[in-house]
Amino acid sequence: MKGKFETLIDQDTPVLVDFYADWCGPCQMMAPVLKEVAQEMGDKVKVIKIDVDKNQPIAQRFGVRSIPTLILFKNGKVVENKAGVMTKRDLAQMIERAS
């Protein structure tokens, strides 16, 4: 049986998971970029934020060692995995490649 997280990422539409923490400066820098990309791309992508402090088992399962880490899933499988701050352009291109 699938858990809630598996149900969220197992979709035809790319799902971008932002592994972050509230105390993380670079994560706070990424938040508005993620919001803009999500708004501009609309139905092309679903963005989910996972607080690593509250969801350590999920972060460990996907090998999240530094934050922010952005993992793009499609049909439940990892398509791309990037750690650190990304530009809006790079993020949009990553999503387009998976579409």
Side-chain angles (χ1 to χ4, degrees):
M1 190 171 133
K2 282 193 215 177
K4 186 177 179 190
F5 183 75
E6 286 73 19
T7 304
L8 287 172
I9 62 169
D10 193 9
Q11 300 185 35
D12 289 339
T13 305
V15 178
L16 182 66
V17 181
D18 172 26
F19 288 91
Y20 78 102
D22 290 333
W23 49 264
C24 163
C27 299
Q28 292 165 2
M29 288 169 49
M30 275 307 299
V33 175
L34 283 164
K35 194 172 185 178
E36 272 185 53
V37 169
Q39 287 173 339
E40 288 175 17
M41 300 199 85
D43 293 342
K44 283 187 177 180
V45 68
K46 183 173 190 167
V47 178
I48 298 171
K49 295 178 73 68
I50 300 280
D51 185 331
V52 295
D53 291 331
K54 295 177 184 159
N55 299 283
Q56 287 180 343
I58 293 173
Q60 287 172 341
R61 194 165 100 205
F62 291 102
V64 175
R65 302 251 183 280
S66 62
I67 49 175
T69 290
L70 301 166
I71 302 180
L72 189 64
F73 293 89
K74 189 164 183 180
N75 298 317
K77 294 185 175 34
V78 175
V79 179
E80 279 198 59
N81 182 336
K82 301 269 187 207
V85 176
M86 291 177 70
T87 64
K88 185 175 145 187
R89 184 169 171 253
D90 288 344
L91 197 53
Q93 287 176 341
M94 182 169 120
I95 295 162
E96 288 290 345
R97 284 193 296 271
S99 295

